[in-house]
Amino acid sequence: MLYAIGVTRKDTWLECARKAKEKREGGVQKSKASRKQGRSTRKNAVRFVESDSDSEDQEEVLLLHIGTVSKLDSKSPPIQVQVVIDECNVDMEVDTGASVTIMSESKFYNLWPGRSLDKTEVRLQSYSKETIPVLGSTQVSVCYDNQVVQLPLIVVEGTGPTLLGRNWLLKIQLNWAKLYYASNSDLQSIVDKYSAVFEEGLGTYKGYQAKIHVDPNANPCFFKPRTVPYSMREGIEAELSKLVAEGTLVPVEHSDWDAPIVPVLKPDGKTVRICGDFRLTVNPVSKLDQYPIPKIEDLFATLARGEKFTKLDLSQAYQQLTLDDS
């Protein structure tokens, strides 16, 4: 995985890592120069180099963190979650790129002044192989969404965001639905405001009634129902019952007009969509609207200077239109 390391303040824990790297590289160069000239190495320099050398007892962890470095990332805010750590509410940034959970020393001592830390053999490195100075670790009681566990917390030098790493994510089950809801509060407010539009069931288009203009001298047409395959009869009966329950169809005992239905099997192979074959009855004797259909080139020319576009899709749109009885 590739992650960008971002620094927003000079005193962040990542900046501390860079300073430590510069100091360490300076110590190595001095040691090499001393040996080359035949002089003895200073104890401080040797001790510093040895403390940074690889050791079998030390656990090295690669720590990745995404920071905001420009306005390009302003539309992608970090995913934050509030966790209760030792009876203190702490806002943590969920970072699946971080192997462990860390907190800066400024944040740690602000929450728990004077609290001592345990020694740890964990060494942290950024993606660019810069060592992040570790002050120590401590066991804390973590409470989140009725979950209480004891987990290790690594404290590093400097300031910076508190990262919730993978070692905590393996022990705590986050409520991702709640996190997603919090990041889409604007959308949810619109859904709540127009809740009637998103209700289950068939809606009704308001403000207009469709009217079919039929020649008053036309003779009513009545056609007997067509035979349908036995394999579709159960689906047809279920769909007719559904349309009656929704109020789309109204059962009648007698009628002068009657059009046969055309059942269409949906892709799931079970449900059926029922259409009326009005080519034999109403269409030949009705007056059609002669409004010209615009060309696609005209539509593109109209939308050329548009900035925001909306697509409205009504479920079973034709069945949401009411007919004028007059």
Side-chain angles (χ1 to χ4, degrees):
M1 294 189 295
L2 298 179
Y3 291 84
I5 303 297
V7 180
T8 56
R9 297 181 57 184
K10 294 183 178 180
D11 55 349
T12 58
W13 45 261
L14 186 57
E15 184 64 21
C16 293
R18 291 180 177 175
K19 292 180 180 179
K21 181 180 180 181
E22 294 174 358
K23 184 177 180 181
R24 182 175 66 256
E25 290 178 349
V28 174
Q29 293 176 359
K30 290 181 180 179
S31 299
K32 291 182 179 178
S34 301
R35 289 194 298 269
K36 184 176 181 181
Q37 297 175 5
R39 295 193 301 266
S40 61
T41 308
R42 288 188 304 162
K43 294 183 178 180
N44 292 338
V46 174
R47 191 176 298 117
F48 184 82
V49 173
E50 289 178 352
S51 65
D52 189 62
S53 62
D54 295 334
S55 173
E56 296 180 355
D57 297 332
Q58 290 181 328
E59 179 183 358
E60 187 171 341
V61 178
L62 180 63
L63 182 67
L64 307 178
H65 173 247
I66 299 176
T68 302
V69 296
S70 66
K71 293 183 179 180
L72 296 177
D73 299 325
S74 59
K75 295 184 179 180
S76 302
I79 300 178
Q80 291 189 337
V81 59
Q82 189 175 81
V83 180
V84 179
I85 302 178
D86 284 348
E87 301 182 353
C88 294
N89 294 326
V90 180
D91 292 327
M92 309 187 71
E93 181 178 333
V94 179
D95 192 349
T96 57
S99 303
V100 296
T101 300
I102 69 170
M103 178 182 291
S104 64
E105 60 174 329
S106 60
K107 180 70 173 181
F108 181 80
Y109 290 116
N110 183 41
L111 294 174
W112 305 286
R115 182 168 177 174
S116 60
L117 295 173
D118 300 328
K119 293 183 179 180
T120 179
E121 298 297 333
V122 175
R123 297 196 312 164
L124 302 181
Q125 282 190 345
S126 65
Y127 181 76
S128 55
K129 300 299 182 179
E130 296 171 343
T131 301
I132 300 174
V134 177
L135 297 180
S137 66
T138 182
Q139 288 291 123
V140 293
S141 175
V142 181
C143 179
Y144 172 81
D145 199 17
N146 296 327
Q147 305 173 67
V148 180
V149 290
Q150 296 288 329
L151 296 173
L153 177 64
I154 304 296
V155 181
V156 298
E157 291 184 4
T159 64
T162 303
L163 303 183
L164 199 159
R166 294 195 301 270
N167 64 330
W168 281 29
L169 291 175
L170 294 175
K171 303 295 183 180
I172 301 177
Q173 182 65 37
L174 295 183
N175 189 344
W176 294 102
K178 185 178 180 180
L179 295 177
Y180 180 78
Y181 173 84
S183 61
N184 292 274
S185 57
D186 295 338
L187 175 62
Q188 189 62 39
S189 63
I190 296 177
V191 174
D192 295 338
K193 183 177 181 180
Y194 304 98
S195 58
V197 178
F198 301 97
E199 290 179 352
E200 296 291 336
L202 185 65
T204 302
Y205 180 75
K206 299 179 181 179
Y208 177 80
Q209 283 188 326
K211 186 174 182 179
I212 302 177
H213 300 275
V214 179
D215 187 354
N217 298 323
N219 296 322
C221 298
F222 189 94
F223 286 84
K224 294 182 179 181
R226 296 169 180 167
T227 57
V228 295
Y230 287 100
S231 59
M232 297 182 63
R233 290 190 177 183
E234 183 177 354
I236 293 174
E237 292 293 337
E239 183 65 17
L240 289 175
S241 300
K242 176 185 175 182
L243 294 175
V244 172
E246 293 177 346
T248 303
L249 297 181
V250 179
V252 294
E253 296 293 336
H254 305 281
S255 177
D256 295 331
W257 293 86
D258 185 275
I261 64 171
V262 179
V264 179
L265 192 64
K266 292 186 177 181
D268 60 4
K270 298 179 181 180
T271 56
V272 178
R273 179 164 58 94
I274 295 179
C275 305
D277 189 2
F278 299 105
R279 295 175 301 175
L280 305 175
T281 56
V282 179
N283 289 1
V285 295
S286 61
K287 298 179 181 180
L288 301 179
D289 192 351
Q290 301 299 328
Y291 184 82
I293 299 177
K295 297 181 180 179
I296 189 66
E297 292 81 2
D298 298 335
L299 295 177
F300 286 153
T302 305
L303 301 175
R305 297 182 180 180
E307 296 180 356
K308 297 181 180 180
F309 302 92
T310 302
K311 177 183 177 181
L312 299 178
D313 186 9
L314 302 180
S315 176
Q316 305 179 51
Y318 283 108
Q319 296 181 4
Q320 294 195 37
L321 294 174
T322 57
L323 288 174
D324 188 357
D325 295 335
S326 59

